[in-house]
Amino acid sequence: MALEFEQHSFLKELGIERDNFGCFSGEWKGSGEEILSYNPATNKLIAKVRATSEEDYEWCVKRSLDCRKLWSSLPMPERGEIVRQIGEALREKKLLLGKLISLEMGKILAEGIGEVQEFIDICDFGVGLSRQLSGKCLPSERQDHVMFEMWHPLGIVGYITAFNFPCAVFGWNSAISLVCGNVQIWKPSETTPLVAIALTKIIAQILKRNGYPAEIASLVIGRGAIGEKLAKDVRVPLISFTGSTKTGRQVSKLVHERLGKTILELGGNNAVIVDKDCNLDMALRAVLFGAVGTAGQRCTSTRRLYLHRSIYSNFLEKLVGYYRQVAIGDPLDEKTLMGPLHTKMAVEMYQKGIEEAISQGGKVVYGGKVIRDNFVEPTIIEVTPQTKCVQAELFAPILYVMPFDTLQEAITFNNSVSQGLSSSLFSNHISHVFEWLGPCGSDCGIVNVNIGTSGAEIGGAFGGEKETGGGRESGSDAWKQYMRRVTATVNYGNALPLAQGIQFGTS
């Protein structure tokens, strides 16, 4: 079978070969099935990967267990220094990695580079955390006693990540978890294995250069069976999973059956509400990026648009004009604004979604066609808020547009779906802004004003409510999920008073 490999010289600069091993724990191996990496823009084979077998997985976990004590016992600032160096290495290879993400995932080059920048930014954030993570000294009710609240590493943390952000989501987890003192096992999407291999080689090089075992950061590339094995493994206290709500339910069940911990970043069915009193130009640009960026394959992509009835026709007309200007094509071409959908199956879902919307009374006002292969038109469909298709997350560039009359009505529409990730209100009405942000406003984990649903900063905790899973990654105090809390009490006196003043024993 002919490979595209030779057409892309930057692959060798990232350590990618025509044939690769997909299991790493200090050294590379792989005795499982052959996994093929395709370029979604051409549907041509890029390279091959020998996946992780069950035996490889056991070898990997054992090596991870062997080095967890070493890593967890290091002073946190020393671990932070390693993360700093990882960030610097990513800076040096940012363009190359951005090209690889575009090649293998299909997002445009600017977004591929942006993904690497996210990893760099969270490394910077993690370095700062390594100098300031602290517990508490709590007042004790007993004489000559003091209570401490301390945080310790969990041990091994497992990551199961999705195709649409093959670099950034791993980075959100890895940079923080490594600083917290955990070793890691990463199971990436089997459709973006080359990005995972390139990132793992960069991290391994940094660890080895500093005299630490590279198996601190292990990799297991494989299909669902390997992910299931990781989810079931009692030796892995925490599983961070990013993907669909359907698969997330299965992962949650497997992990919680063994009383493990999870961070779940699942489906998003995100809405933008455009009030009559707002900067319409800002809203238009935000909706365009939110709905069309990454070909609608972000968990934060804008899928529902609620327009105040008084501006509905004007806004929709201008939005269609913006859509007509979207350049669709090779994601490595800097002029391109929308690349291909990731797989042929995604194209089929796109077509099926449009057919279902039309069968339910929806009206396509722009797009709706497959251009060629994995390339499709970004699509706008007019529906009513009660239309059934609005309730489902469709991972494609399809935007449902609906009118509203009052803000309370729009908030009800926003909250009417089972997902709860990201949401945005465009308004210059101060009371509307704070109603939206208040306890009876948006029920999502990310609630924005005058910015779109997509493009979260790493400084804030990222995640959502309801069927989005409730987990939090990246910034703020999301680090607490990668550690275990210990409440410790020290008696430095000569008596043994009991809590609550209880008297027990002989006089």
Side-chain angles (χ1 to χ4, degrees), residues 22 33-38 45 47-49 51-52 104 160-164 166 186-197 219-227 241 247 342-343 345:
E33 64 181 309
E34 188 175 70
I35 286 180
L36 307 179
S37 171
Y38 288 93
L45 182 62
K48 302 175 183 179
V49 178
T52 304
E104 191 173 40
I160 303 174
T161 60
F163 75 88
N164 59 330
W186 178 24
K187 191 275 178 195
S189 169
E190 65 269 24
T191 61
T192 52
L194 304 183
V195 175
I197 291 170
L219 176 70
V220 288
I221 294 173
R223 302 195 190 277
I226 289 297
F241 173 82
T247 306
H342 186 56
T343 61
M345 183 181 296

Side-chain angles (χ1 to χ4, degrees), residues 92-122:
E92 294 173 7
K93 294 188 179 336
K94 182 165 72 169
L95 177 58
L96 297 177
L97 287 167
K99 285 183 177 181
L100 176 56
I101 292 167
S102 294
L103 178 69
E104 191 173 40
M105 186 272 153
K107 64 177 59 175
I108 63 172
L109 182 58
E111 292 187 87
I113 294 171
E115 254 207 79
V116 185
Q117 186 63 51
E118 282 194 60
F119 199 161
I120 293 168
D121 291 344
I122 200 65

Side-chain angles (χ1 to χ4, degrees), residues 168-426:
V169 172
F170 166 66
W172 292 352
N173 284 278
S174 180
I176 303 303
S177 183
L178 286 174
V179 162
C180 289
N182 301 303
V183 300
Q184 63 190 36
I185 300 177
W186 178 24
K187 191 275 178 195
S189 169
E190 65 269 24
T191 61
T192 52
L194 304 183
V195 175
I197 291 170
L199 290 171
T200 298
K201 288 189 174 184
I202 289 171
I203 295 171
Q205 185 179 33
I206 298 299
L207 288 166
K208 289 178 179 178
R209 183 192 303 166
N210 286 272
Y212 298 118
E215 48 265 45
I216 286 167
S218 296
L219 176 70
V220 288
I221 294 173
R223 302 195 190 277
I226 289 297
E228 183 176 343
K229 198 167 183 62
L230 186 59
K232 288 180 176 180
D233 199 329
V234 296
R235 298 166 294 183
V236 184
L238 171 67
I239 297 293
S240 176
F241 173 82
T242 305
S244 69
T245 297
K246 180 181 178 181
T247 306
R249 289 184 193 279
Q250 298 170 346
V251 170
S252 179
K253 181 179 178 181
L254 293 174
V255 176
H256 291 127
E257 276 182 345
R258 61 176 175 87
L259 300 182
K261 304 174 186 293
T262 58
I263 300 173
L264 299 175
E265 299 289 354
L266 311 179
N269 190 358
N270 315 294
V272 169
I273 297 170
V274 182
D275 206 350
K276 61 180 177 180
D277 179 16
C278 76
N279 185 320
L280 292 181
D281 182 61
M282 282 173 54
L284 279 163
R285 287 186 285 119
V287 171
L288 179 70
F289 174 65
V292 177
T294 324
Q297 296 170 114
R298 290 181 176 225
C299 55
T300 54
S301 290
T302 304
R303 311 206 181 279
R304 297 175 292 144
L305 175 60
Y306 298 102
L307 301 173
H308 191 276
R309 201 174 296 275
S310 65
I311 62 165
Y312 184 92
S313 297
N314 180 46
F315 191 97
L316 185 55
E317 181 181 350
K318 289 183 177 180
L319 184 62
V320 169
Y322 276 38
Y323 267 55
R324 293 187 192 281
Q325 298 174 40
V326 172
I328 303 169
D330 180 1
L332 288 168
D333 185 335
E334 293 184 359
K335 296 179 183 178
T336 299
L337 284 184
M338 192 179 107
L341 289 176
H342 186 56
T343 61
K344 292 178 180 179
M345 183 181 296
V347 176
E348 293 171 3
M349 289 172 58
Y350 165 86
Q351 292 175 301
K352 184 179 178 181
I354 293 171
E355 291 170 2
E356 288 183 356
I358 293 172
S359 70
Q360 294 167 20
K363 176 186 175 184
V364 176
V365 295
Y366 183 83
K369 298 176 183 176
V370 176
I371 299 172
R372 68 180 187 281
D373 298 326
N374 293 354
F375 291 92
V376 303
E377 293 179 325
T379 301
I380 303 172
I381 304 178
E382 286 186 291
V383 294
T384 69
Q386 293 74 34
T387 307
K388 185 179 178 182
C389 63
V390 172
Q391 295 293 317
E393 178 194 34
L394 189 62
F395 231 56
I398 296 175
L399 179 67
Y400 302 117
V401 185
M402 296 150 279
F404 72 91
D405 294 301
T406 68
L407 179 64
Q408 284 193 338
E409 182 183 42
I411 291 174
T412 298
F413 293 155
N414 176 80
N415 297 349
S416 66
V417 299
S418 58
Q419 308 85 0
L421 181 52
S422 186
S423 57
S424 299
L425 169 69
F426 280 82

Side-chain angles (χ1 to χ4, degrees), residues 45 57 156 163 433:
L45 182 62
Y57 174 86
I156 302 179
F163 75 88
V433 168

